[in-house]
Amino acid sequence: MLNLMHFLPLNKLTIFAALLSISFLSYSKTLYVSADAMVDVKNGKLVKSPVLVIENDTIVKIVKQGKVDIPVEADHLDLQGQTLLPGFMDMHVHLTSDPTKHGYKRLSSSIPRQALFGVTSAKKTLMAGFTTVRNLGATGYADIALRDAINDGDVIGPRMFVAGPSLSITGGHCDNNLLPPEFKVTATGVANGPWAVRQKVRENIKYGADVIKFCATGGVLSKGTKVGAQQFSQEEMNAIVSEANLRGLVSAAHAHGTEGIKAAIKAGVTTVEHASFLDKEAIKLAKKYGTYFSMDIYTTEYILSEGEKAGILQESLDKERVVGGKQRESFRQAVKAGVKMVFGSDAGVYPHGDNGQQFSRMVQFGMTPMQAIQAGTINPATMLKIDGKLGSLSEGKLADIVAVKGNPLEDMLLLADVSVVIKDGKIVKQ
Ligand code: ARG
């Protein structure tokens, strides 16, 4: 620019600048979206007859119908009978995991194959209205490749915040325990001891992680782990979370068992995933530390009905019979106590694109419809500290919008069947 100014006389420079701004303007596009209603998640109410004015990727204005002149030639999405909501956010998915391949069946998918599977899952997830997801664990760095492909525009999918390989103790829930010792299989995220886990956090960040996921307790789907037993020690969890904090990343702990949940909270983790076996003290601690719970209370239905066909081990099915019911009770208690909640589905264990089914279960187990919608919109945005740009339909925020046919506050099942999806101001489903 400096060089140009040097060579161009003033009058030519002015013309050049004017041309520049004209060509810029011709890229700017206005889209009007009107509907019967809009869910205002910030104020917890339904707003009637809104018109959203979208310029490029941003909502620039929200007004009542009749209060704005919509030019006849304008791009206008007139959604009569429909309700607008902010793009949904799922804080626990595994886009590169195939829900029809569990247990030993999963061993046949290479990391590149998993990345390619993620392409299809990403599209299904976006079409289901989820415009932002947090991917909590993938083999290799397949999720990081997928995020980058979406950001580069090579692949269509939600905005992704990714963990890379989950941290685990040797033989823990996030190790791979399926094969006998002579195969020498160890998952990428395995590390033991405070310095080793710090090093693992640094490695994940080096290769592009946005969030640090670690397995604090055993799990349902892993071979040979006790779902209720703690795995990382308090000291190790402290090291993981403090290293993540140091680098400005949020952290997520897979934790079913009570003691592991408490240790993760005390370490200062951002979200506890699953949080199945809660007691009064765990709930009190979460409130004290401001910890979010991300409870996948829909998964159990798929595991128990389709799991066996998909290759889920018998021992895992047995564990699920205990965990599923207890987790739903815990969810009710946590909601009642007012613990902060984000929507987390664990999609990948069950089919991608079915994420929205969980909204109705969240109401069935104790939330109001508005609370469940907030858990899937504004709460995750606040937790990820992106609420200045996302999480609600507000002037100045990015235009991530979904529409459903009817009033979701009266029928939460509508959220599992969205009719329109807009991401970054672009209509991706209509
Ligand atoms: N990934 C989790 C695990 O293996 C799935 C738990 C699903 N069950 C449930 N009731 N939420 O532990």
Side-chain angles (χ1 to χ4, degrees):
M1 199 62 197
L2 264 181
N3 286 344
L4 268 179
M5 277 164 78
H6 192 71
F7 290 111
L8 290 171
L10 188 65
N11 57 342
K12 282 205 184 142
L13 181 68
T14 323
I15 294 165
F16 180 71
L19 280 174
L20 251 184
S21 72
I22 287 168
S23 67
F24 179 69
L25 271 181
S26 66
Y27 279 113
S28 112
K29 238 175 136 26
T30 306
L31 168 68
Y32 296 82
V33 182
S34 53
D36 273 18
M38 151 191 132
V39 181
D40 173 1
V41 294
K42 277 212 296 205
N43 297 303
K45 58 177 205 222
L46 198 69
V47 174
K48 297 266 189 229
S49 312
V51 181
L52 275 60
V53 186
I54 297 155
E55 254 159 44
N56 299 314
D57 60 359
T58 304
I59 302 170
V60 293
K61 210 149 200 52
I62 301 177
V63 286
K64 281 247 178 234
Q65 283 169 36
K67 292 267 190 281
V68 61
D69 286 326
I70 303 176
V72 270
E73 71 281 4
D75 285 338
H76 181 195
L77 206 54
D78 186 14
L79 303 171
Q80 287 174 27
Q82 305 197 34
T83 304
L84 306 177
L85 299 109
F88 303 145
M89 298 186 166
D90 189 336
M91 292 297 100
H92 190 144
V93 300
H94 300 277
L95 293 183
T96 58
S97 298
D98 182 345
T100 66
K101 290 197 185 102
H102 280 283
Y104 286 92
K105 282 192 178 177
R106 196 160 274 187
L107 289 179
S108 64
S109 290
S110 65
I111 294 168
R113 181 66 189 91
Q114 292 172 42
L116 290 169
F117 182 82
V119 173
T120 322
S121 325
K123 186 168 178 193
K124 285 183 182 163
T125 305
L126 181 61
M127 294 307 154
F130 288 80
T131 55
T132 304
V133 299
R134 197 169 62 150
N135 204 82
L136 290 188
T139 317
Y141 297 87
D143 53 346
I144 291 170
L146 182 60
R147 174 202 62 194
D148 294 347
I150 291 170
N151 290 347
D152 289 344
D154 297 335
V155 164
I156 150 161
R159 191 177 290 100
M160 287 180 77
F161 291 84
V162 300
S166 304
L167 273 65
S168 176
I169 62 161
T170 297
H173 176 66
C174 296
D175 192 0
N176 186 335
N177 311 319
L178 290 165
L179 297 172
E182 57 270 35
F183 286 90
K184 297 191 178 3
V185 175
T186 302
T188 323
V190 170
N192 300 283
W195 277 106
V197 294
R198 278 187 190 271
Q199 187 178 345
K200 210 32 110 177
V201 170
R202 291 171 185 176
E203 212 171 283
N204 278 0
I205 297 174
K206 170 177 173 175
Y207 294 118
D210 307 297
V211 42
I212 301 302
K213 156 94 181 279
F214 62 95
C215 287
T217 73
V220 173
L221 300 174
S222 50
K223 185 168 177 239
T225 71
K226 289 197 173 65
V227 68
Q230 184 172 334
Q231 295 192 336
F232 275 123
S233 66
Q234 183 72 60
E235 205 186 356
E236 287 167 314
M237 291 193 216
N238 291 349
I240 295 169
V241 175
S242 100
E243 191 65 34
N245 288 347
L246 209 62
R247 304 293 299 278
L249 270 67
V250 294
S251 50
H254 157 104
H256 289 284
T258 321
E259 291 317 307
I261 294 170
K262 290 179 192 171
I265 295 173
K266 286 183 193 154
V269 78
T270 318
T271 64
V272 173
E273 307 301 313
H274 312 298
S276 306
F277 298 99
L278 292 173
D279 66 5
K280 285 212 172 73
E281 196 199 349
I283 289 176
K284 223 164 109 187
L285 276 173
K287 291 200 71 175
K288 177 172 160 206
Y289 282 80
T291 319
Y292 287 85
F293 285 167
S294 161
M295 301 175 70
D296 56 329
I297 57 169
Y298 175 68
T299 351
T300 185
E301 295 175 37
Y302 178 81
I303 295 177
L304 294 180
S305 61
E306 303 296 319
E308 200 178 343
K309 239 191 305 173
I312 293 183
L313 307 173
Q314 190 55 51
E315 63 168 281
S316 296
L317 296 172
D318 293 340
K319 287 192 260 187
E320 184 56 46
R321 284 190 194 98
V322 181
V323 172
K326 186 69 187 72
Q327 186 190 31
R328 287 171 158 197
E329 255 173 61
S330 290
F331 180 82
R332 197 185 282 286
Q333 285 163 13
V335 170
K336 204 166 158 204
V339 177
K340 295 196 278 183
M341 291 278 187
V342 290
F343 184 107
S345 70
D346 214 356
V349 168
Y350 73 91
H352 299 284
D354 285 355
N355 316 51
Q357 293 287 352
Q358 187 172 277
F359 281 114
S360 64
R361 305 325 190 263
M362 291 164 96
V363 172
Q364 187 183 344
F365 293 97
M367 281 185 169
T368 65
M370 187 59 78
Q371 279 178 322
I373 292 170
Q374 286 166 331
T377 54
I378 190 70
N379 300 3
T382 308
M383 183 273 285
L384 290 171
K385 299 192 174 68
I386 51 171
D387 51 320
K389 279 281 165 205
L390 288 160
S392 64
L393 299 176
S394 310
E395 292 178 359
K397 287 199 187 182
L398 291 171
D400 275 20
I401 305 166
V402 302
V404 297
K405 290 185 175 140
N407 180 356
L409 299 177
E410 281 161 12
D411 180 6
M412 290 295 277
L413 282 170
L414 291 172
L415 300 179
D417 185 20
V418 307
S419 50
V420 174
V421 181
I422 299 173
K423 182 192 167 206
D424 282 325
K426 288 187 197 72
I427 301 170
V428 291
K429 178 181 180 175
Q430 189 185 349

